[in-house]
């Protein structure tokens, strides 16, 4: 089976965080709990399990994150998956979008995110707020990112949205985040 050649994005340390998109130790297949309504399983059961799964994924990349950044990610996971604040209709977060976010985060070296969230399908959302605007990104199980940008310029508000392959989003995001 021939696989297309992929150019690799290499960080300053020489580490290629996105090289594992084709040969990842993290499977892009999702546990069935990602689409099972919480009401049929119980938030008290599935949410702590999924939080542990996301924290374990963070641990895979822990050596590339500072203690403060790991603690910040763990705190955000705990906040997002708090069983006491969970709405039964919400989708359980999927692991693969979170892993794709971590890979992008390390490659792009943009640890200054403002908030994380989840969409209706369990994909990870990330927001960057700046003095002049906002950039949001939705990370999916496939290595694809949907993004929006809202920037106030001297000529008015500049709105844009797009879809980028995960690897290309490293460059796309750099340009977008420079404006906010």
């Amino acid at each position: 089976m021939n696989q297309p050649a992929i150019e690799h994005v290499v960080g300053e340390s020489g580490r290629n965080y996105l090289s594992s998109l084709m040969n990842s130790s993290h499977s892009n297949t999702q546990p069935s709990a990602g689409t099972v309504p919480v009401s049929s399983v119980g938030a008290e059961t599935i949410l702590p399990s999924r939080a542990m799964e996301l924290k374990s994924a963070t641990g895979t990349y822990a050596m590339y994150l500072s203690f403060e950044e790991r603690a910040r990610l763990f705190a955000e996971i705990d906040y997002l998956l708090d069983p006491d604040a969970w709405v039964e209709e919400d989708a359980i977060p999927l692991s693969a979008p979170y892993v794709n976010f971590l890979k992008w985060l390390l490659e792009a070296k943009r640890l200054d995110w403002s908030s994380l969230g989840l969409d209706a399908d369990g994909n990870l959302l990330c927001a960057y707020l700046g003095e002049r605007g906002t950039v949001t990104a939705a990370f999916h199980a496939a290595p694809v990112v949907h993004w929006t940008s809202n920037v106030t310029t001297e000529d008015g508000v500049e709105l844009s949205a797009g879809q980028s392959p995960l690897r290309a989003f490293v460059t796309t995001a750099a340009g977008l985040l420079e404006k906010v």
Side-chain angles (χ1 to χ4, degrees):
M1 178 169 128
N2 288 334
Q3 299 220 4
I6 297 176
E7 291 184 23
H8 300 291
V9 178
V10 179
E12 288 177 14
S13 67
R15 172 89 169 130
N16 187 341
Y17 304 103
L18 297 177
S19 67
S20 60
L21 287 176
M22 296 299 283
N23 301 318
S24 176
S25 62
H26 291 284
S27 170
N28 278 343
T29 59
Q30 298 304 312
S32 60
T35 57
V36 174
V38 175
S39 59
S40 66
V41 179
E44 299 79 22
T45 304
I46 191 118
L47 293 176
S49 174
R50 189 53 55 98
M52 186 170 39
E53 191 176 314
L54 297 178
K55 288 178 181 182
S56 177
T58 305
T60 302
Y61 299 95
M63 71 175 83
Y64 306 107
L65 297 165
S66 70
F67 174 79
E68 293 80 16
E69 188 58 34
R70 287 191 309 270
R72 185 174 178 219
L73 286 167
F74 287 172
E76 196 73 7
I77 290 168
D78 289 340
Y79 173 76
L80 289 172
L81 300 181
D82 179 3
D84 294 333
W86 195 260
V87 177
E88 289 185 11
E89 294 79 33
D90 288 346
I92 299 294
L94 302 172
S95 298
Y98 180 74
V99 169
N100 283 338
F101 163 71
L102 289 173
K103 290 176 181 180
W104 173 82
L105 186 77
L106 292 170
E107 198 63 47
K109 297 172 185 57
R110 291 306 303 241
L111 302 171
D112 56 334
W113 49 273
S114 301
S115 65
L116 299 180
L118 302 168
D119 72 8
D121 296 322
N123 295 307
L124 186 90
L125 305 175
C126 179
Y128 287 83
L129 304 175
E131 290 180 17
R132 296 184 311 211
T134 305
V135 172
T136 63
F139 291 84
H140 298 270
V144 173
V145 180
H146 293 119
W147 53 266
T148 65
S149 173
N150 178 339
V151 179
T152 301
T153 67
E154 60 188 37
D155 297 324
V157 177
E158 176 185 324
L159 301 172
S160 59
Q163 173 181 309
S164 301
L166 182 61
R167 192 179 320 262
F169 189 61
V170 172
T171 305
T172 302
L176 295 170
L177 293 170
E178 183 179 289
K179 295 178 180 181
V180 297

